[in-house]
Each structure stands twice: as C-alpha cells, then as structure tokens.
Amino acid sequence: MASSTARASREDFKKQKELEELRKLAVAPPEVDEEGNMINPHIPQYMSVAPWYVSDGKVGLKHQKMSHFGISNSKSQLNTRPAPKFQKGKRAKKFRKGACGNCGAMTHKTRDCCERPRKRGARFTNKCAPDEIVHRTDDTDYDAKRDRYRNYDPAKYQEVIEFHQKVEDARRQKKAKEIDEQMKIKAQKKREKLIRKAEKRAAKKALKAAKGDDDDDDDLDSDSDSDSDSDDEDDEGNGENDLRDTTGEVIQKRDARTRTTVRNLRIREDTAKYLLNLNPKSAHYDPKTRSMRANPHPEKNPEELTYAGDNFVRESGDFQKVNSLQLFAMRKNETGDADVHLHAAPSQAELHYQAEQKRRMLAANNHRRSVLDKYGGTKHLKAPPKELLLAQSENYVEYSEDGRVVKGKEEAVAKSKYVEDQYDNNHTAVWGSYWSDGNWGYKCCCSTVRNSYCTGATGRAIEMSKKRKRIEA
C-alpha cells in the first residue's frame, strides 16, 4: 500500500511493489497506522491513499471516517424519540403585517392555514395564534435514517410473547383435559373388566356346585385367564391409540405422565456427502445447494456404493418419466389448456399424458404403414440372422489339420444382405470391375454403360481397337 503520493525513483517504486506483494501473501507483516491498527494489504490504492486536499502525510484510513472532517457519527438507538418538527412559539398580542389573516401566525399565509376558518379573522380581532417554529436539526447519519427499527419500542413485542404464551397454555390445558378423559375411560374399562371377571367366577362356582366337575373348573380357569390376557392386550392397544397426537405434530414417543413429546429428527448416523471422500480432488460438493453431482468413489464397484452422486439419481428410477410429465404439463399450459396441472391434479395430468402418448404412437404407426403401403419395402425391415449380426455362435466345432470338420457342425458362411452371384444382362463380371478414362464399367465386355447388354469378346475387341487408334494418333 502506498503511503503517500510523492514521486519515487524507479528502484524505490519497484521495492514498494514487491513489499506490497509480500504483504498480500502474508510473508511480510502488514502496515500499521499511527494508532497501532493493522491495515489490510488487499485494500485498493484508490481507497488507501488520501486525496491531496485532506492528506496529512500519515499512513492510515482515517480519511475514510467522518470524524476526520469534524462530523459526529451518531447512530440510531432503540427507544430514541425523534425531536418534534414543529413547536409553538410566542403568541403576538397584535396583528402583524404579513401574518396569516385567519389565525395571525407569521409562519404561513391565509391559504395555507390549517385552523378552522374564523368568522372574523385575526386581523380584525387581534387574537393571534402562536407561531410555528420548524426544527430541522436531524444529526443522524445515512444508516440511522434508513434503520427499519428506528424509534421502535421493544416493549411492544411483549404483547406478541404474551399472546403466544396464552395460546401455548390453552393448548396444554386442552391436552391435559384430553389425557384426563382418556384416563377416566381407561379406569371405567378396567372396572367393567373386573365386573366381568367377578361374574365369571360366580358362574363358575355355581356350575361347580351343580355338577361338581373339576375338569370343567380347570377349563374355565384357563378360559378366564386367556380372556384376562386378551383384555389386557386390548387395553394396552387402546392406550396406545388414545395417546395418538391430534394436533398434527410429528411424534416419536409420548409419555402420558410427563405430557412431553419428542420430535423425529434426521438420523445422525447418516454420513454427509462431503465426508464420503476426503480427497480434495474428488467430486465437487456445493454447500449452498447441498449437492454433489459426480460420484465420490468412481473406482469402486457401483453395486457396492450407497451413494453414487446426484446425477446417478437423476438418471435412474422414474426421474426421466417425471421430467417428461412436467414438460408435457408446461407445454399444455402454454397452449392454454388449464385442465392439466401436475401439482393440483396429478392423476388427471397422468391420464392426459398417457392419452397423448397413445395418440402419438398411433399416429406414428399409421404414418409408417401408409409409407410402406405406398412405397413398399416391408421385406427390408426383417432382421438378418444372428450369424450376420454377431459373426459368432455357441456351436462347438473341431477341425483336423487339413481343415476338415471332425466334430460338430461346420459354421455357416456369412452372407451379405445384398444379392450375390447374380449377373444381369448376360454379364460375367459385376459393375465396377473395369476402369477406363475415369469411367467405371464391366470387365467382361469393357462396356462403361450401366445396365447395358454384354457383348463379350466383340466388345473387348472394339474397345482395344479404340485404344490403339488413340495411341497411334
């Protein structure tokens, strides 16, 4: 950082620049002002160097402060009341020239008077109102004038706290009342169960006295025990159902005695994405969006990975289907079809999308069928055999030293999809087997006309005689 604007020699300027670079790299200690405060070396020169009209030749940033120019930097505080802009002055005993004709104040004219129009003005009755003194002493700074909490009284927020406290107390009382009612219902059920047990015991004793059968007694005991066990299980299940939350809160466990709830939180055993691979050269993690698009472990087997990056999620499952559905809904909305809305009516949007896909598929099939009916070519749509596609098979074949097949079936010779070993117009060679003067032709007759009739040896003789004449000429 340059300390002054005085011209320096080339060597001094070079040394100063090197010192500034070392300070930016934290190799050299930073510069210190007259008060002992360190100056940030990254501050640009147009901010660090004081202008010539306020420069005192000292290093520092005091010229950036308002106190350097004798201006007090007053900040706004809470509970600070603004000074009144208007204040009543002295009251005149007699009407003054140039004053308001209605109230008699000197600070405004008759047309600007805000008082009620008098039946007889002050210029006739000499009953003058006090002058209005306007105060313009606003010594706050730029930030204080635009502070959103200026002149705010924190005591007003106590009303909000008390309101929410009352709501919370009412909710607790309501919940306590519900739990008390549930406990009463549970006690009533328990009493009814005891009554049923007593009735069963009385019936059992009566039956025993009538028949005197001990086996029946044992059976009744076992039945009563099983009934009591089932009743206990039902009561426990009902107790759990009674303690379900009815306020819409996400509850993990509720204790009826303490009336407290525990909210479900994120499982703390989950490893954060940026901790999966601590190598700084691994996949990039964006802390703002909490996304890691690349795979943090590309060297591992994908089947063993618990997380393979956000791009893997975007390319798997129904992600592509949902994207196409969203695109379909957007295009429908652009065309003015308001019936398709993916969030308001997802099932209806899905049905519209399926109908659109069926319509497109049907249109494509109809177009393909019409083209085939008009131009033909159905035979070319048939797939060639596997021997042509893959040029290999799983048939086992053994050959002898002279190339004969010893075991297995001999592999079929690969054939082209084009017609082979067929010559048109009596030719014995294919088109392109002869070349002369930049033209292709048939080798059998030296003809350069495509699809011409083969003349055989006569055509070759005529072509040779033409070449001989051209050479002699």
Side-chain angles (χ1 to χ4, degrees):
M1 185 188 302
S3 59
S4 63
T5 57
R7 294 183 62 84
S9 62
R10 184 186 294 259
E11 296 179 357
D12 295 340
F13 184 76
K14 188 175 181 181
K15 290 180 180 179
Q16 190 177 6
K17 287 295 182 183
E18 291 177 355
L19 181 59
E20 290 179 3
E21 294 297 330
L22 293 176
R23 285 173 177 166
K24 290 181 180 180
L25 296 174
V27 177
E31 199 170 4
V32 182
D33 60 2
E34 59 181 356
E35 296 180 357
N37 300 322
M38 291 187 296
I39 302 175
N40 191 346
H42 298 282
I43 296 177
Q45 189 176 7
Y46 73 89
M47 295 176 60
S48 61
V49 177
W52 58 270
Y53 49 87
V54 294
S55 177
D56 52 1
K58 297 179 181 179
V59 180
L61 298 174
K62 293 184 66 176
H63 60 278
Q64 296 284 350
K65 308 295 182 182
M66 297 177 65
S67 58
H68 182 74
F69 302 96
I71 302 174
S72 60
N73 187 11
S74 61
K75 299 292 183 180
S76 65
Q77 298 178 356
L78 295 177
N79 297 329
T80 55
R81 300 297 180 184
K85 293 185 177 180
F86 300 98
Q87 187 177 1
K88 294 182 179 180
K90 63 180 182 178
R91 184 189 297 269
K93 296 180 181 180
K94 198 175 182 180
F95 182 79
R96 295 161 293 180
K97 187 178 180 181
C100 175
N102 183 40
C103 65
M106 290 291 296
T107 53
H108 61 269
K109 300 297 181 182
T110 305
R111 62 180 182 180
D112 299 329
C113 185
C114 295
E115 285 195 7
R116 177 180 60 85
R118 302 180 183 180
K119 188 175 181 179
R120 295 183 64 192
R123 63 185 309 169
F124 302 106
T125 59
N126 290 329
K127 294 180 180 179
C128 301
D131 297 338
E132 299 169 350
I133 302 174
V134 181
H135 293 275
R136 297 289 182 181
T137 57
D138 193 1
D139 56 349
T140 54
D141 58 354
Y142 182 87
D143 296 329
K145 291 178 182 178
R146 290 156 181 82
D147 187 6
R148 59 180 299 185
Y149 286 105
R150 187 185 179 192
N151 303 328
Y152 175 73
D153 187 6
K156 293 182 179 179
Y157 193 73
Q158 189 65 26
E159 299 177 359
V160 181
I161 297 175
E162 292 176 356
F163 172 76
H164 287 282
Q165 189 66 31
K166 290 179 181 178
V167 173
E168 184 68 19
D169 293 342
R171 190 187 68 82
R172 289 179 180 176
Q173 292 176 3
K174 180 182 177 182
K175 200 63 186 177
K177 187 177 179 180
E178 291 178 357
I179 293 175
D180 292 339
E181 292 178 356
Q182 292 169 4
M183 296 300 290
K184 290 179 181 179
I185 295 172
K186 189 174 182 181
Q188 181 66 23
K189 289 182 179 179
K190 194 171 183 180
R191 285 195 298 269
E192 293 176 356
K193 186 180 70 172
L194 292 175
I195 293 172
R196 287 197 302 269
K197 284 185 177 181
E199 292 176 353
K200 287 182 180 179
R201 289 194 189 97
K204 181 183 68 174
K205 289 180 180 180
L207 186 62
K208 184 178 180 181
K211 294 183 179 181
D213 192 355
D214 296 336
D215 296 335
D216 295 339
D217 190 6
D218 297 335
D219 295 338
L220 287 172
D221 291 338
S222 62
D223 294 340
S224 62
D225 294 338
S226 62
D227 293 339
S228 62
D229 294 339
S230 62
D231 292 339
D232 294 338
E233 292 177 358
D234 294 340
D235 292 339
E236 291 177 359
N238 292 333
E240 291 180 358
N241 293 331
D242 293 340
L243 294 178
R244 289 178 182 173
D245 185 28
T246 58
T247 59
E249 297 180 353
V250 182
I251 303 302
Q252 182 179 5
K253 185 178 180 182
R254 179 188 289 274
D255 191 355
R257 293 171 295 179
T258 58
R259 298 170 183 169
T260 58
T261 59
V262 180
R263 291 181 178 272
N264 279 327
L265 301 177
R266 182 178 65 85
I267 301 176
R268 295 300 175 181
E269 288 78 6
D270 292 346
T271 306
K273 297 177 183 178
Y274 54 85
L275 296 179
L276 294 175
N277 191 351
L278 300 179
N279 186 5
K281 295 183 180 180
S282 64
H284 173 69
Y285 174 76
D286 187 10
K288 186 175 182 180
T289 58
R290 298 181 183 177
S291 61
M292 182 182 286
R293 293 176 175 82
N295 186 3
H297 294 288
E299 70 280 356
K300 292 185 178 180
N301 187 7
E303 297 179 356
E304 299 176 358
L305 294 175
T306 58
Y307 178 75
D310 295 340
N311 288 339
F312 175 79
V313 178
R314 292 190 179 96
E315 295 174 0
S316 60
D318 295 337
F319 187 84
Q320 299 295 336
K321 182 179 178 181
V322 174
N323 275 352
S324 59
L325 188 59
Q326 288 179 349
L327 183 61
F328 170 74
M330 290 170 59
R331 289 178 176 174
K332 282 292 183 181
N333 291 330
E334 289 177 357
T335 56
D337 191 355
D339 295 337
V340 180
H341 198 286
L342 187 59
H343 302 293
S347 302
Q348 185 179 6
E350 179 71 20
L351 292 176
H352 279 283
Y353 177 72
Q354 292 177 1
E356 181 71 16
Q357 293 297 321
K358 290 181 181 178
R359 187 188 63 79
R360 289 185 179 181
M361 189 179 298
L362 184 62
N365 292 336
N366 293 336
H367 178 70
R368 180 184 180 187
R369 192 180 299 108
S370 62
V371 171
L372 291 176
D373 293 343
K374 185 175 183 179
Y375 298 101
T378 309
K379 60 182 180 179
H380 299 293
L381 299 177
K382 297 180 180 179
K386 291 184 178 181
E387 290 79 7
L388 270 180
L389 289 175
L390 305 176
Q392 60 183 359
S393 66
E394 297 181 357
N395 298 329
Y396 180 75
V397 183
E398 289 186 4
Y399 297 92
S400 62
E401 295 181 355
D402 56 354
R404 292 181 293 105
V405 178
V406 177
K407 185 178 180 181
K409 186 179 180 180
E410 187 175 4
E411 186 177 0
V413 179
K415 295 184 178 180
S416 172
K417 65 178 182 179
Y418 301 101
V419 181
E420 298 180 358
D421 300 332
Q422 290 186 7
Y423 304 100
D424 299 331
N425 298 329
N426 202 26
H427 287 285
T428 56
V430 298
W431 171 262
S433 59
Y434 176 71
W435 172 265
S436 176
D437 298 333
N439 298 318
W440 294 100
Y442 297 99
K443 187 178 180 181
C444 56
C445 60
C446 298
S447 175
T448 57
V449 181
R450 184 70 183 271
N451 295 327
S452 63
Y453 193 81
C454 182
T455 56
T458 305
R460 290 198 299 271
I462 294 173
E463 186 67 21
M464 293 299 293
S465 62
K466 289 181 180 179
K467 287 185 178 180
R468 194 179 300 110
K469 289 180 180 179
R470 284 198 298 269
I471 294 172
E472 291 176 356

